[in-house]
Amino acid sequence: MKNFLLFITLCLSSWKPVHACGYSPYGEDVRYSLFSPQYFNYTSYQSFYYNASEFGFPEVKVTAYDANILDWYAFTNKQVAPASIEYFMYVESATSLTPDSENDFVRYLYKNKLQSVIDYLSLAKECEVYTAGYDTDPWERNTEAIKKTRSEYIDRLIRKVDTETNAFLKRRYAFLLIRMAYYDDQTAVIEQYFQRHFTTSKKDFLYYWSLYFYCFTPKATSLDIAEVMTNSPEKRNATYYYFRKKFSLSEALAVAKTNQEKSSAYGYVCMQKLDRSLDYLKQMYSLQSYSEQLDFLLLREINKLEDWIYTPYFTNYLPSIDYVNTWWTESGVSESTHSLRLRSEKDRLYAKELLEFVNTVDLRKVKDPVVWRAAKIQLLYMTKNYKSCIREADLFLKRYPKESSVAQIEQMKVLSLVADQEYGKAVIPKEAHSIIEKNIRESHFIFALGRELEFLGNLPDAAALISNVNSEGTWWEANSVAWQGNRLKKSGNMRYFYDYFSYLDFVYSADELKRIVDHLATVSTHHFDQLIYRELLESKGYLSDLLGTKYIREDRLQDALTAFKTIDKQYWENNYSNWERGRLDYGDYIFDKNPFYDFKYTPVFITEREQFPLTKLTITERLIDHIRKGNDAANPKRAYHYFLVANCYFNMSQYGHSWMMRRFSSTSDYNVGESFVDEDEYRNNHLARKYYQLAYSHATDKKFKALCLRMEAYADTDHYEDERPNYQRLKKEFPEYYEDLSGCYSLNAYFKP
């Protein structure tokens, strides 16, 4: 059989099952969150938002203007715009300090004859050249010269500090000296001038900026580090980056004298704590309830719980930060969906503990009661106290109608309204319609809502909502959702999803999908229904195609035929022809060979007895017809029809040209764990082998019987070629045809006398 036999011999004989182990989303790509810090005013803590990515200490602008700019703004009696001050401070050089400057800040100084301030700023600009970021020299060609010049500036600054009589400028010169001494590794100078000029002065931003450099000296304590973290937004990142490993909570508490200092110590530990922090939050509240840091850390604890509860519950992924290291169980296998659910429920118990603490807090004593009320609503949903969540959400919306977090609170209310229903009776309440419409592009919310409905048995509405997730090509955006199918213990990397169609294709049974397809005929014309069902209604042809394909996988051919008959002719032309290509364009998604008569890479196998347009509909019709004729005991050509059926099933496998009858994309990965329902059939050709055997048993011609044995052997992918039983059977029963069937001959030539 020209080319065909050779190709099959070379390819199938070397094939054996393999396990998929490709890419799967992880970390921040899968972390689930509904309670975004962006709703609240904690931008100065932005680097410490709970995040699965490596902590990179990014440079973030914590406020519109830093404390230094605002201090100079106050110095000018608010007569110079902060933008002008900032531009001079961080963009212009010392040469800009001239009477004809166009900068309003410089002009103000000259206008008011503030020469001492001009002298200070001129020296400060000169010093910048010899601090980090300005004197970088990777080849170290000028190291000695730079150090000599830096030492000269330190001497000049010492003289300025000692002689300056203006208290405002004296402290600023002292800060410049401390900073320059840090870059010159003169810790003794830092200690001396910090203790002389800052330990008895007011604790303003300049104090904490100086304290930051003092933290590099041997005399600094862990409490000093915590105090900078708490009180200096500009130095918060660096303080954590440089001192997190040397910080000691016990040491900080030992030297702390006030409740505020003790609270700062606990806050430093909490800032990047990946596990539970409730005990520390309780300590902070008892020590200093009115604390921005405490409010932020509560928000961060909620984000942790979202990761621990929502990520496995909604997406079947492990939490993005696996703080207890349970990716592998004690038995050495990955977690199953069941164990993920148990883990999620265990973390709901911790959410209950946190909720109990929040309920004891006196909101009159905290700095930001809004975040505490919002956190309570989140915790009520997490702990499945749906009715209380709805009640608290209504109170919040009435009390704070203009808060930026209103949209998020509305979402939690809708999730609770949906989740608080009996299995099999869940619907989307009318009260939720307007909120869903407003948030239809909020993928995390919409997906969570769809999953809640799915868990409660409302598959049509669940699929409709999930079809709106990651829509319009937005799967790569921060708001996108990636999720997995259910996990078995033997799973490695699971198949993951970014779109509803792939999810329905892989996970849903034919009967489950039929409920969705049948429901499309009953969708009302109401604006809300048309909105959420828009994608499914526009994809009805694809869904019917998928339904029929699922029936093929389940070997329910008559049901498949019924499904395919509901699809109009234009759909087949748009998706399965050489000319028109729809969304199923994978490069070779087309029936270009007849599965009954042709094989891949084989110019001629059997001359076609009939010509018909190749679609899933026509192929299914003829497959059913050939099976019927093969099963007809009165039909003298039963063996021939069984042979054609076997050819078709072979071509519907991964080795054939009509794999589209079973799949919407073709891969060679054999996932033994979670997979399509017909995975074993798709990879191992059991039906093809069955019908080749039936053809053999009903054939009367010896040549044809020999061919049936040979074809059954080709379809046998359970064994390597030389181990396939029917090879030896062929040689034993039909030795006169063995050589012909082991070479590269066309079928027509084989049957010639």
Side-chain angles (χ1 to χ4, degrees):
M1 283 163 282
K2 198 172 188 178
N3 294 336
F4 168 70
L5 296 182
L6 177 62
F7 173 75
I8 295 295
T9 300
L10 293 176
C11 293
L12 295 195
S13 63
S14 61
W15 181 89
K16 57 183 178 180
V18 294
H19 295 270
C21 57
Y23 169 81
S24 181
Y26 65 95
E28 197 64 12
D29 290 338
V30 301
R31 183 175 71 87
Y32 216 88
S33 178
L34 298 168
F35 196 50
S36 173
Q38 304 298 337
Y39 291 124
F40 305 95
N41 187 27
Y42 294 104
T43 53
S44 67
Y45 290 93
Q46 186 172 336
S47 295
F48 300 92
Y49 290 170
Y50 184 75
N51 190 298
S53 300
E54 182 179 357
F55 192 62
F57 307 97
E59 290 293 331
V60 294
K61 194 168 185 178
V62 296
T63 57
Y65 298 103
D66 67 33
N68 181 43
I69 303 305
L70 296 178
D71 193 53
W72 282 110
Y73 177 57
F75 175 82
T76 65
N77 296 313
K78 300 182 179 181
Q79 294 182 37
V80 179
S84 295
I85 301 172
E86 183 179 57
Y87 189 81
F88 169 76
M89 292 294 177
Y90 301 135
V91 178
E92 295 188 340
S93 64
T95 58
S96 301
L97 278 165
T98 60
D100 58 350
S101 172
E102 295 183 358
N103 185 280
D104 289 343
F105 178 56
V106 176
R107 293 170 66 180
Y108 172 87
L109 298 177
Y110 277 100
K111 179 180 178 181
N112 290 278
K113 300 180 180 180
L114 298 171
Q115 188 59 47
S116 59
V117 176
I118 294 171
D119 292 341
Y120 161 77
L121 291 172
S122 179
L123 182 55
K125 286 290 184 181
E126 291 178 33
C127 289
E128 284 179 356
V129 179
Y130 298 95
T131 56
Y134 293 90
D135 65 342
T136 302
D137 181 10
W139 301 105
E140 300 181 357
R141 292 166 294 192
N142 301 310
T143 302
E144 292 301 320
I146 291 172
K147 184 171 181 60
K148 181 177 183 298
T149 305
R150 189 183 280 140
S151 297
E152 292 172 355
Y153 273 106
I154 288 175
D155 292 340
R156 287 179 60 185
L157 287 169
I158 288 174
R159 290 193 295 272
K160 284 289 187 181
V161 172
D162 292 342
T163 59
E164 179 60 59
T165 57
N166 182 294
F168 175 81
L169 292 178
K170 193 178 191 71
R171 292 179 78 246
R172 285 187 165 274
Y173 276 122
F175 169 71
L176 285 182
L177 172 60
I178 289 170
R179 185 177 67 171
M180 185 66 80
Y182 163 75
Y183 290 113
D184 206 47
D185 295 324
Q186 295 192 36
T187 56
V189 173
I190 298 174
E191 292 172 355
Q192 177 184 351
Y193 281 86
F194 177 79
Q195 292 170 356
R196 181 182 300 177
H197 295 281
F198 290 99
T199 54
T200 58
S201 63
K202 60 181 179 179
K203 293 186 177 182
D204 60 357
F205 86 96
L206 207 56
Y207 167 82
Y208 290 108
W209 285 19
S210 300
L211 180 60
Y212 164 73
F213 291 110
Y214 180 77
C215 287
F216 288 95
T217 70
K219 291 185 178 181
T221 67
S222 289
L223 179 61
D224 294 325
I225 295 169
E227 284 287 272
V228 176
M229 167 72 79
T230 299
N231 297 290
S232 179
E234 297 84 5
K235 300 299 181 184
R236 195 163 281 150
N237 281 13
T239 301
Y240 189 84
Y241 179 81
Y242 286 110
F243 306 121
R244 67 191 186 279
K245 293 181 179 179
K246 67 178 286 188
F247 182 83
S248 167
L249 177 60
S250 58
E251 177 192 309
L253 293 175
V255 298
K257 297 179 181 179
T258 67
N259 286 346
Q260 181 274 320
E261 290 176 341
K262 294 175 183 178
S263 180
S264 292
Y266 284 114
Y268 188 93
V269 173
C270 282
M271 200 61 74
Q272 278 292 304
K273 203 170 188 292
L274 299 181
D275 57 353
R276 299 177 179 185
S277 300
L278 177 56
D279 290 342
Y280 290 164
L281 296 183
K282 289 179 178 179
Q283 291 283 0
M284 293 178 70
Y285 175 72
S286 66
L287 292 166
Q288 186 186 29
S289 61
Y290 192 82
S291 164
E292 179 186 54
Q293 191 176 62
L294 172 62
D295 297 342
F296 168 72
L297 289 171
L298 171 68
L299 171 60
R300 194 168 183 278
E301 202 69 7
I302 298 294
N303 290 149
K304 291 181 194 176
L305 275 165
E306 287 186 307
D307 190 18
W308 303 342
I309 296 173
Y310 296 159
T311 303
Y313 181 71
F314 288 129
T315 72
N316 281 332
Y317 274 101
L318 281 160
S320 63
I321 298 180
D322 189 18
Y323 74 95
V324 294
N325 192 28
T326 55
W327 178 267
W328 298 100
T329 62
E330 291 181 0
S331 60
V333 294
S334 59
E335 295 217 28
S336 66
T337 294
H338 177 69
S339 61
L340 284 171
R341 292 286 186 272
L342 292 177
R343 173 186 177 132
S344 181
E345 293 306 310
K346 183 178 179 180
D347 286 315
R348 289 186 198 273
L349 296 177
Y350 175 58
K352 185 178 180 180
E353 293 180 42
L354 185 57
L355 176 61
E356 290 171 353
F357 165 62
V358 171
N359 284 332
T360 65
V361 167
D362 186 345
L363 297 183
R364 295 169 299 180
K365 296 181 179 180
V366 297
K367 185 172 184 178
D368 186 2
V370 173
V371 76
W372 287 84
R373 293 182 188 277
K376 180 178 181 179
I377 293 167
Q378 281 283 348
L379 291 166
L380 286 168
Y381 174 67
M382 288 179 182
T383 55
K384 300 184 178 181
N385 291 308
Y386 301 127
K387 288 182 173 58
S388 296
C389 183
I390 295 167
R391 182 171 59 253
E392 290 295 327
D394 285 336
L395 291 173
F396 185 100
L397 296 171
K398 184 177 180 179
R399 184 188 294 262
Y400 306 110
K402 296 183 179 180
E403 280 290 330
S404 59
S405 57
V406 160
Q408 190 267 340
I409 300 301
E410 290 177 334
Q411 292 170 18
M412 301 314 299
K413 176 182 176 180
V414 169
L415 284 167
S416 294
L417 285 169
V418 168
D420 192 28
Q421 300 180 85
E422 293 182 36
Y423 181 88
K425 297 181 180 180
V427 297
I428 303 177
K430 289 185 177 179
E431 184 180 357
H433 287 191
S434 62
I435 297 172
I436 294 173
E437 287 184 33
K438 287 191 298 184
N439 295 279
I440 197 65
R441 292 292 171 256
E442 292 294 325
S443 289
H444 276 76
F445 163 61
I446 295 298
F447 183 78
L449 195 60
R451 288 289 268 176
E452 291 285 19
L453 286 165
E454 186 179 43
F455 297 152
L456 292 170
N458 185 342
L459 301 187
D461 285 346
L465 288 167
I466 293 173
S467 73
N468 286 277
V469 172
N470 304 339
S471 62
E472 300 176 1
T474 58
W475 59 264
W476 62 84
E477 294 182 355
N479 187 43
S480 66
V481 179
W483 71 100
Q484 296 185 132
N486 290 335
R487 303 175 61 93
L488 300 177
K489 280 191 174 182
K490 58 186 175 181
S491 302
N493 283 351
M494 274 291 299
R495 186 177 293 251
Y496 63 92
F497 310 98
Y498 277 115
D499 68 281
Y500 82 97
F501 189 88
S502 298
Y503 177 58
L504 297 181
D505 180 24
F506 189 75
V507 173
Y508 275 40
S509 69
D511 289 338
E512 289 171 334
L513 180 60
K514 189 175 187 300
R515 290 174 54 191
I516 298 170
V517 173
D518 288 348
H519 184 76
L520 295 181
T522 67
V523 175
S524 77
T525 57
H526 187 273
H527 171 71
F528 175 76
D529 291 318
Q530 290 295 308
L531 174 66
I532 67 168
Y533 275 91
R534 177 182 61 84
E535 177 64 30
L536 296 189
L537 289 170
E538 291 178 356
S539 302
K540 187 174 182 180
Y542 294 98
L543 293 172
S544 297
D545 184 352
L546 175 59
L547 177 60
T549 305
K550 283 183 174 289
Y551 282 132
I552 294 286
R553 295 171 189 167
E554 296 180 11
D555 203 23
R556 298 162 63 179
L557 298 182
Q558 196 60 54
D559 289 331
L561 182 61
T562 300
F564 291 144
K565 282 184 175 180
T566 65
I567 304 174
D568 59 41
K569 180 181 178 181
Q570 190 64 46
Y571 174 85
W572 302 118
E573 292 179 353
N574 287 348
N575 290 280
Y576 294 89
S577 73
N578 277 316
W579 310 108
E580 301 293 337
R581 307 311 292 268
R583 71 173 68 178
L584 301 180
D585 185 359
Y586 290 98
D588 58 353
Y589 197 87
I590 179 174
F591 290 111
D592 57 354
K593 289 183 180 295
N594 191 310
F596 298 99
Y597 302 100
D598 298 315
F599 284 85
K600 288 165 65 173
Y601 310 106
T602 306
V604 178
F605 185 63
I606 302 176
T607 303
E608 295 184 19
R609 298 284 184 88
E610 56 181 341
Q611 298 287 334
F612 58 90
L614 296 171
T615 67
K616 291 184 179 181
L617 170 62
T618 59
I619 291 171
T620 304
E621 283 178 328
R622 279 148 181 87
L623 181 58
I624 292 172
D625 186 54
H626 286 305
I627 292 174
R628 179 184 60 79
K629 291 177 178 177
N631 291 337
D632 183 359
N635 188 340
K637 295 184 178 180
R638 295 178 69 186
Y640 172 74
H641 291 291
Y642 280 140
F643 190 83
L644 295 183
V645 170
N647 291 344
C648 184
Y649 275 123
F650 185 93
N651 280 314
M652 286 163 54
S653 73
Q654 76 166 42
Y655 315 102
H657 50 65
S658 296
W659 54 264
M660 299 81 76
M661 293 294 294
R662 292 184 178 274
R663 296 289 183 270
F664 285 85
S665 63
S666 179
T667 69
S668 60
D669 292 334
Y670 186 12
N671 194 340
V672 179
E674 290 75 12
S675 61
F676 290 99
V677 67
D678 66 335
E679 186 76 357
D680 189 38
E681 169 61 32
Y682 186 65
R683 308 298 178 185
N684 294 313
N685 291 316
H686 298 297
L687 286 172
R689 292 163 64 184
K690 168 188 172 181
Y691 282 101
Y692 281 131
Q693 291 168 3
L694 284 171
Y696 165 83
S697 64
H698 290 87
T700 57
D701 181 85
K702 292 180 64 177
K703 274 192 171 184
F704 189 57
K705 291 179 79 72
L707 177 64
C708 292
L709 284 180
R710 185 64 170 117
M711 293 302 295
E712 195 279 333
Y714 279 130
D716 180 3
T717 56
D718 286 336
H719 305 87
Y720 289 103
E721 184 175 14
D722 56 357
E723 299 173 351
R724 294 172 185 175
N726 276 356
Y727 279 171
Q728 299 306 317
R729 185 179 174 188
L730 172 65
K731 187 174 184 179
K732 181 178 180 180
E733 293 186 24
F734 307 102
E736 67 271 35
Y737 304 122
Y738 180 77
E739 292 299 326
D740 288 344
L741 289 173
S742 63
C744 301
Y745 302 98
S746 71
L747 189 62
N748 289 335
Y750 172 72
F751 278 115
K752 286 181 179 179

